[in-house]
Amino acid sequence: MAKKINLPKTGLSKNDVFNEMKTVKEKDVKWKDGKVWCLVFSAGDELSDITKEAYNMFFSENGLNPNAFPSLKKFENEVVAMTANLLGGDENVTGTMTSGGTESILMAVKTAREHYLSKHPKSKKMEMIIPKTAHPAFDKAGHYFGIKVIHCDLKDDYRVDLDKMEELINGNTILLVGSAPSYPHGVIDPIEKIAKLAKEHDILCHVDACVGGMILPFAKKLDYNIPNFDFTVDGVTSMSVDLHKYGYAAKGASVVLYKNKDLRRKQFFVYTEWLGGIYASPSMGGTRPGGAIAAAWAVMNYLGEDGYLKIVKTVMETSEKLKKGINKIDGINIVSTPEASVIAIGSEELDVFVIGDEMSQMGWYMDRQQDPPSLHMTIMHAHHKVADKFLEDLKEAVQKAKKFTIGKVADKVKVSLVKGAVKVLPENVVSKLTSKSSKLLSGKGEIIPKRSAAMYGMMGSLPNKGDLNEMILDFMDSLYDA
Ligand SMILES: *Cc1c(COP(=O)(O)O)cnc(C)c1O
């Protein structure tokens, strides 16, 4: 049962409000010191102060109606144009801003659906083919828009298998997807080949550059070896790029881009019969925060190409240092060959989740991944200061994991972690899940251990994925209660 909470009868003082917020904030992950490898992108206080100032200046304005706010119209159109330009777009490439990568992807899929329906008006069976590594936002889009999602196998290097992708194409295919790079392992799918395949079969091709779109173009300029992944590739018809990641905009800022205006038009929604007047909206939301649009414009103009290059140089150098350092540690390795700054740590012989637990004990915060079990790291600007300390601690964690596995863990957790069946869950979530799932698991007489490594193992051993789905839904019910 949800706890009942009343609106305070009389309002609190400003002091009381802020004091309480400060108190609860203390328990949040501390990302400023560089110990967190996900969730918050920052390139220092000076830059975020500028972003905040711009956000505040347009705090109240609403991007739903650009006619009322020519300022926001200008900002949005310029942000989209600058982004298109960075990603090799010609003068036809266009798009809109959205609230984030998920919305950009939802819109690209919706556009692909409308495009397909314009050619096959009676079609009821639509499919899109995405690599197994593609972001779940595509699965969400399939779920929302009634499109079947086909998950294509990968090659040994974790890039999508082109032959398999080709075999999966049929008359119902509306969209092929590649990531630049993929979130789980940071590798860029063979975009040129995917786009060629799409073009040959006359279907659309989306490149998900949500995490990569604001770093890869600069890394390329800095002479890092980045394969072609953007609109310069013939056959690419849409892209998603998050500005609230490596663009350092305020959260709630992403761009979805299309090859031309005809495609973008299929994203728009218009309803002309409403008693409230003619309603037109470019994307999922209605009201759109002016602050997020203005802040994106401000940060892009403030940094300029030089500014981004400088930040990207630091991030790429830190990434190279970490990749080398990690691969040097006996027992673990970087999964595949990530081109940029998103990486995963795996192991052939050790339980990486035990290593993850040891790292957590030392205050590091990394996401856990499955298939193969790995620890995820998005390398950000703040990490250049902590890279050496990280490598030192990692070495120690690996040593501990070596002792750990040989001894007790193997029999205690009688599960195959390699067959892990669990999606990324932050570790604090997992520990809460433990209590929820004890009912489910206790039937088998298992003892639920405290550490997350064992928990992941157990979830992986659930015979029925439906159980896991229900468990997570139960957990979400509890998460969204006061
Ligand atoms: C972050 C990310 C997304 C989703 O973006 P949100 O802003 O979290 O909605 C999609 N694809 C990739 C590759 C990402 O890294």
Side-chain angles (χ1 to χ4, degrees):
M1 277 270 254
K3 194 162 110 195
K4 204 169 149 193
I5 296 184
N6 293 320
L7 196 63
K9 197 112 199 140
T10 49
L12 309 180
S13 70
K14 183 178 165 190
N15 261 347
D16 287 349
V17 169
F18 281 89
N19 282 339
E20 175 156 3
M21 288 199 293
K22 271 183 210 144
T23 310
V24 294
K25 197 174 186 191
E26 269 159 31
K27 289 204 186 129
D28 292 349
V29 291
K30 303 279 178 292
W31 49 268
K32 276 199 181 181
D33 57 11
K35 290 219 151 181
V36 179
W37 300 87
C38 51
L39 295 169
V40 181
F41 289 74
S42 167
D45 288 344
E46 190 199 322
L47 192 59
S48 52
D49 284 348
I50 298 219
T51 317
K52 282 178 201 168
E53 205 176 319
Y55 197 105
N56 279 340
M57 198 172 157
F58 288 85
F59 178 80
S60 304
E61 280 69 14
N62 187 343
L64 176 59
N65 185 347
N67 284 328
F69 304 107
S71 54
L72 295 180
K73 176 170 160 7
K74 169 187 158 77
F75 298 152
E76 174 163 9
N77 291 340
E78 290 185 12
V79 163
V80 168
M82 284 188 282
T83 311
N85 203 357
L86 269 177
L87 294 167
D90 60 20
E91 63 286 355
N92 294 317
V93 169
T94 186
T96 69
M97 286 187 73
T98 68
S99 63
T102 300
E103 191 183 358
S104 288
I105 289 167
L106 289 173
M107 290 296 87
V109 172
K110 187 241 180 210
T111 296
R113 186 184 72 169
E114 304 307 312
H115 178 74
Y116 184 85
L117 285 174
S118 69
K119 295 194 291 182
H120 311 85
K122 295 216 176 91
S123 176
K124 290 222 168 76
K125 280 195 198 160
M126 286 176 273
E127 300 177 358
M128 63 177 151
I129 305 171
I130 70 172
K132 280 190 167 162
T133 47
H135 193 276
F138 291 97
D139 298 87
K140 199 183 221 179
H143 179 68
Y144 284 6
F145 300 137
I147 291 153
K148 189 168 168 195
V149 185
I150 315 280
H151 299 93
C152 187
D153 281 332
L154 313 171
K155 300 205 26 156
D156 290 344
D157 64 1
Y158 295 92
R159 293 172 179 90
V160 75
D161 184 329
L162 259 298
D163 295 333
K164 295 248 166 78
M165 195 172 236
E166 181 156 26
E167 280 166 27
L168 293 169
I169 296 176
N170 63 38
N172 300 322
T173 310
I174 66 166
L175 185 67
L176 301 186
V177 170
S179 308
S182 76
Y183 181 84
H185 316 108
V187 297
I188 302 179
D189 283 314
I191 302 299
E192 287 184 325
K193 293 181 182 155
I194 298 173
K196 184 161 176 264
L197 202 55
K199 197 168 180 186
E200 279 166 12
H201 289 82
D202 192 24
I203 41 189
L204 300 183
C205 171
H206 182 84
V207 176
D208 180 10
C210 275
V211 69
M214 290 302 287
I215 189 166
L216 295 178
F218 301 107
K220 200 167 197 165
K221 282 212 171 85
L222 293 167
D223 280 339
Y224 285 94
N225 194 6
I226 309 290
N228 294 333
F229 70 97
D230 58 16
F231 282 108
T232 53
V233 177
D234 190 31
V236 170
T237 54
S238 60
M239 292 189 77
S240 42
V241 189
D242 288 351
L243 303 177
H244 62 200
K245 291 180 181 160
Y246 286 112
Y248 307 104
K251 288 196 177 45
S254 172
V255 172
V256 57
L257 295 168
Y258 299 98
K259 186 95 195 127
N260 56 49
K261 276 192 172 172
D262 287 344
L263 276 175
R264 185 181 66 176
R265 203 178 154 94
K266 300 193 161 83
Q267 174 182 312
F268 295 156
F269 173 80
V270 176
Y271 183 60
T272 55
E273 309 289 314
W274 189 34
L275 305 193
I278 290 175
Y279 186 91
S281 141
S283 50
M284 290 290 281
T287 294
R288 300 199 301 155
I293 297 170
W297 186 89
V299 78
M300 288 174 92
N301 279 288
Y302 177 77
L303 282 176
E305 184 174 316
D306 285 354
Y308 279 110
L309 280 171
K310 201 167 152 216
I311 296 171
V312 170
K313 186 165 185 286
T314 306
V315 172
M316 288 299 289
E317 283 170 5
T318 309
S319 303
E320 291 310 306
K321 178 178 189 167
L322 285 165
K323 286 181 213 171
K324 275 199 199 104
I326 291 164
N327 277 331
K328 261 196 218 150
I329 299 175
D330 185 42
I332 56 170
N333 57 277
I334 299 285
V335 179
S336 190
T337 50
E339 284 90 346
S341 54
V342 176
I343 63 175
I345 303 177
S347 176
E348 308 269 304
E349 68 236 51
L350 299 170
D351 179 344
V352 282
F353 296 148
V354 172
I355 298 172
D357 284 347
E358 294 299 339
M359 290 301 277
S360 301
Q361 302 286 318
M362 295 187 250
W364 301 97
Y365 191 96
M366 287 182 277
D367 278 332
R368 275 60 164 170
Q369 307 191 121
Q370 59 182 335
D371 267 342
S374 52
L375 304 173
H376 189 263
M377 296 166 70
T378 305
I379 294 141
M380 291 170 262
H381 191 263
H383 295 133
H384 77 278
K385 290 174 290 186
V386 299
D388 289 319
K389 174 73 177 139
F390 175 86
L391 290 170
E392 234 171 74
D393 285 359
L394 185 61
K395 212 179 266 176
E396 193 180 320
V398 168
Q399 285 314 320
K400 284 192 179 149
K402 278 181 180 164
K403 287 186 199 139
F404 215 53
T405 359
I406 300 158
K408 308 148 207 165
V409 172
D411 359 65
K412 219 190 217 168
V413 187
K414 293 167 286 180
V415 288
S416 157
L417 290 162
V418 182
K419 287 189 200 141
V422 140
K423 174 56 202 135
V424 259
L425 286 173
E427 183 208 3
N428 58 335
V429 171
V430 172
S431 59
K432 283 184 203 151
L433 258 176
T434 313
S435 62
K436 279 264 156 201
S437 55
S438 55
K439 253 191 284 163
L440 250 165
L441 291 167
S442 58
K444 294 195 292 175
E446 301 269 17
I447 306 150
I448 309 292
K450 272 257 148 38
R451 292 182 157 230
S452 69
M455 185 59 213
Y456 271 97
M458 294 214 163
M459 294 204 277
S461 74
L462 284 173
N464 179 352
K465 284 225 182 184
D467 289 349
L468 184 58
N469 211 41
E470 284 303 313
M471 246 166 72
I472 307 284
L473 287 173
D474 282 351
F475 174 71
M476 286 182 76
D477 270 341
S478 71
L479 194 62
Y480 293 103
D481 279 339

